[in-house]
Amino acid sequence: MRFPIFLLVSLALFSFPALGQRQSIFVAPQMTDPQITTNLNNHYVSVNPGIPSKGQLFVFLPGTGGVAFNYQEINNTAADLGFHAVNLTYPNNDAVNTLCGGTNSDLDCYGKIRMETVDGTDRSPLVNVDRPNSIENRLIKLLIYLRNTFPALGWQQFLTADSKLIWSKVVIAGHSQGGGHAGIIGRHHGVSRVLMFAAMDFNAQSNAAANWIAAPDSTPNATGAARFWAFGHQQDEMVNFTLLATRIWTAYGMPQFGAIQNVDNVPLPFANSHSLTSNRACDNFHGCIAADARLVFENGVPVYKSVWEYMLSQTAPPLSIGNLTFERLD
């Protein structure tokens, strides 16, 4: 689903104060790395110095054609929970399901496109994403920029000394195309948690989910199913909810953490389920679960804010890396 792209022409940045309420800034990608040459709408970054830090980085990836500016509410929600929050603009002009759909029955097509977009390694002739323009490089260079520009705010904790991402401190999230990227990043890197909104890679020609979803052993499967959460609208115009719930979420292993819960009529904590849905009326069912322009508000608050907070905060199991186990503090 494409949402209006707001061109943010100013490259100026606002300064974060040392203390106080949530502060947000826009950062032009090319300011962090002059080799970034495509998809130059600004990143959106928030932090709330007045909230105890969780020591975790929330990274949100927009849907097809969307930019960081389009998803400020969910970013702000994460910042107000104590996350360092980043909405990342990245190469997302073409929908992965369109590129890999139609008469194309290659179930590896989806994973090749997504991983090229993630790390910039040439895998597919259907996209052209090099390393500088990849999700990983954009995020690393943004964090370096924030670390150097605002040294007191703790951005350095998400990078090693040689400027590599510490994936175990990352909550990776995304909407639509971005949700698929979040999912495959979770397959390849051990992240704190994966949050997917209206995201599905399903090939109608083969009547099957993409291999990277349906065959987890074909990926590193670095983040276990216990760290995946998903939210989809039952009337989604772009994503078949029946397929999403019965074929995609099942392939992630999410049903073992509870039956699907309708957030419209099940109170928090939604039976502690990782599989959430809604049937609430809105003007665009695909977008209204996450995208600012489509949100429904009640008393000035997004109706799904409590869902986002739950997905960000439900207690996660201990994180295991090799033979070591670390207790979560979130």
Side-chain angles (χ1 to χ4, degrees), residues 229-248:
W229 281 262
F231 186 30
H233 201 288
Q234 294 177 24
Q235 299 184 58
D236 194 315
E237 308 91 341
M238 305 293 293
V239 173
N240 183 311
F241 181 75
T242 299
L243 289 175
L244 179 67
T246 62
R247 304 286 293 277
I248 304 300

Side-chain angles (χ1 to χ4, degrees), residues 187-261:
R187 289 289 203 208
H188 283 260
H189 300 282
V191 298
S192 178
R193 64 182 65 202
V194 178
L195 310 183
M196 301 172 293
F197 297 85
M200 179 174 78
D201 279 359
F202 190 87
N203 188 280
Q205 185 80 7
S206 300
N207 189 31
N211 278 343
W212 73 266
I213 299 174
D217 290 344
S218 68
T219 75
N221 204 28
T223 305
R227 295 179 176 276
F228 279 73
W229 281 262
F231 186 30
H233 201 288
Q234 294 177 24
Q235 299 184 58
D236 194 315
E237 308 91 341
M238 305 293 293
V239 173
N240 183 311
F241 181 75
T242 299
L243 289 175
L244 179 67
T246 62
R247 304 286 293 277
I248 304 300
W249 291 353
T250 299
Y252 284 124
M254 290 163 52
Q256 64 186 297
F257 304 102
I260 296 170
Q261 299 296 317

Side-chain angles (χ1 to χ4, degrees), residues 47-97:
V47 67
N48 191 331
I51 300 293
S53 174
K54 285 185 173 290
Q56 293 192 12
L57 179 68
F58 172 76
V59 179
F60 189 90
L61 303 172
T64 302
V67 297
F69 183 87
N70 299 152
Y71 297 87
Q72 295 181 56
E73 288 288 348
I74 193 168
N75 178 290
N76 295 343
T77 297
D80 288 344
L81 289 175
F83 291 89
H84 287 64
V86 168
N87 287 2
L88 203 74
T89 295
Y90 67 97
N92 63 348
N93 298 333
D94 298 307
V96 177
N97 276 273

Side-chain angles (χ1 to χ4, degrees), residues 116-127:
E116 181 167 334
T117 305
V118 170
D119 65 20
T121 299
D122 184 16
R123 294 180 177 87
S124 172
L126 300 178
V127 292

Side-chain angles (χ1 to χ4, degrees), residues 260-329:
I260 296 170
Q261 299 296 317
N262 187 326
V263 301
D264 304 338
N265 47 44
V266 176
L268 283 164
F270 307 127
N272 295 308
S273 175
H274 291 209
S275 308
L276 306 174
T277 186
S278 173
N279 201 30
R280 180 185 291 271
C282 63
D283 68 355
N284 181 284
F285 301 110
H286 186 66
C288 71
I289 62 173
D292 290 350
R294 303 299 188 179
L295 297 178
V296 176
F297 288 80
E298 289 183 354
N299 300 317
V301 178
V303 296
Y304 294 130
K305 182 175 181 179
S306 62
V307 180
W308 305 338
E309 292 173 337
Y310 166 79
M311 295 172 72
L312 282 162
S313 302
Q314 188 202 22
T315 301
L319 175 61
S320 296
I321 302 176
N323 295 322
L324 301 177
T325 298
F326 303 89
E327 293 296 327
R328 300 304 311 180
L329 299 179

Side-chain angles (χ1 to χ4, degrees), residues 139-197:
L139 180 55
I140 290 169
K141 294 301 173 59
L142 174 60
L143 290 173
I144 292 171
Y145 182 90
L146 293 170
R147 178 192 68 190
N148 294 341
T149 307
F150 308 106
L153 291 181
W155 295 101
Q156 66 277 4
Q157 67 187 297
F158 308 116
L159 294 169
T160 64
D162 56 355
S163 299
K164 293 182 179 180
L165 290 167
I166 302 176
W167 286 107
S168 62
K169 294 185 176 183
V170 174
V171 173
I172 189 72
H175 175 235
S176 196
Q177 178 178 165
H181 294 324
I184 203 167
I185 287 171
R187 289 289 203 208
H188 283 260
H189 300 282
V191 298
S192 178
R193 64 182 65 202
V194 178
L195 310 183
M196 301 172 293
F197 297 85

